[in-house]
Amino acid sequence: EVQLVESGGGLVQPGGSLRLSCVASGFTFSNYWMHWVRQTPGKGLVWVSRIDGDGSYTSYADSVKGRFTISRDNAKNTLFLQMSSLSAEDTALYYCARDCSSPTCYSVFDSWGQGTLVTVSS
Amino acid sequence: IVMTQSPATLSVSPGDRAALSCRASQSLSGNLAWYQQKPGQAPRLLIYGASTRAPGVPVRFSGSGSGSDFTLTISSLQSEDFALYYCQQYNNWPPDFGGGTKVEIK
């Protein structure tokens, strides 16, 4: 069974940093692209970042480019999101999601973790 | 790409049919997915490629449409189907989600 378990969320002051983690199990982690998607009541679901299977390719939403860094440790089946220069607009529930990673469904999110809540407030 | 879902809320009786609409601001070439989200849970993939059910998804869920207009149909609503439903385009980068349709008990 595919499992994705996020951690690392919490309360952080504006301008601060936070590192999210997502531990994967039940599949060959290195074979899959992985994503971070965030959700807020106001903006709904918003894609944040993605990384390929060996970590050599990454991309970001314009809203987080230059502030967030996605990475992975395939030996530990773990995905990361390093977030810096946080603002209130980054307050959200952050999900890690597995990419379908098949020619017919790249960028379809076929498994999701339960999310970790990030709150940016003074 | 702007994804517009309608209606925002759909009130349906158990056993009835529900049709949820998703419209894109440009053609998606069939690269459209649907997700279900229940309170306190993560989204769950239902449909991709506009009409292909994900593994384990009941046959009462079906997707249709092409170009920029798509529909998710639930043929006979069960109690566990009352939830939020999102569409997502993956034809253009970055992927975009619709604002969601809440299916509630009438």
Side-chain angles (χ1 to χ4, degrees):
Chain A
E1 179 193 4
V2 173
Q3 280 202 315
L4 299 170
V5 180
E6 302 95 335
S7 63
L11 176 64
V12 60
Q13 291 190 336
S17 298
L18 212 54
R19 189 195 200 199
L20 307 183
S21 299
C22 170
V23 177
S25 61
F27 64 102
T28 304
F29 184 62
S30 59
N31 286 352
Y32 288 83
W33 288 67
M34 295 294 295
H35 302 259
W36 289 97
V37 177
R38 66 188 183 186
Q39 185 172 32
T40 62
K43 293 189 176 181
L45 290 163
V46 177
W47 173 82
V48 173
S49 182
R50 67 173 173 173
I51 187 168
D52 71 349
D54 63 11
S56 59
Y57 178 85
T58 60
S59 65
Y60 302 90
D62 287 345
S63 59
V64 307
K65 202 173 293 184
R67 300 186 300 119
F68 289 12
T69 302
I70 190 172
S71 62
R72 64 193 297 161
D73 183 340
N74 286 344
K76 296 183 178 179
N77 289 350
T78 304
L79 176 72
F80 302 101
L81 186 68
Q82 178 69 46
M83 306 185 295
S84 61
S85 302
L86 287 163
S87 71
E89 287 66 43
D90 298 312
T91 294
L93 184 62
Y94 284 75
Y95 293 104
C96 71
R98 190 181 79 168
D99 192 294
C100 180
S101 296
S102 166
T104 59
C105 55
Y106 277 111
S107 302
V108 172
F109 311 113
D110 68 356
S111 294
W112 299 63
Q114 285 303 301
T116 187
L117 182 62
V118 173
T119 303
V120 184
S121 175
S122 55
Chain B
I1 295 181
V2 178
M3 305 296 294
T4 303
Q5 291 188 242
S6 61
T9 303
L10 188 61
S11 298
V12 187
S13 300
D16 284 356
R17 176 180 170 276
L20 288 63
S21 174
C22 176
R23 177 166 291 179
S25 58
Q26 55 186 270
S27 177
L28 300 182
S29 303
N31 294 316
L32 189 283
W34 290 94
Y35 300 85
Q36 176 193 66
Q37 187 176 33
K38 298 179 182 179
Q41 296 186 17
R44 170 198 177 197
L45 176 65
L46 296 176
I47 301 281
Y48 65 94
S51 60
T52 302
R53 272 186 300 276
V57 174
V59 296
R60 62 181 181 272
F61 291 92
S62 63
S64 62
S66 62
S68 61
D69 286 312
F70 300 88
T71 301
L72 174 70
T73 302
I74 311 171
S75 59
S76 176
L77 271 151
Q78 307 298 302
S79 57
E80 61 266 31
D81 301 335
F82 292 96
L84 262 169
Y85 293 84
Y86 294 96
C87 60
Q88 176 230 332
Q89 72 82 18
Y90 54 98
N91 190 61
N92 288 38
W93 196 258
D96 298 292
F97 293 87
T101 291
K102 180 182 179 181
V103 177
E104 64 175 24
I105 300 174
K106 187 174 184 179

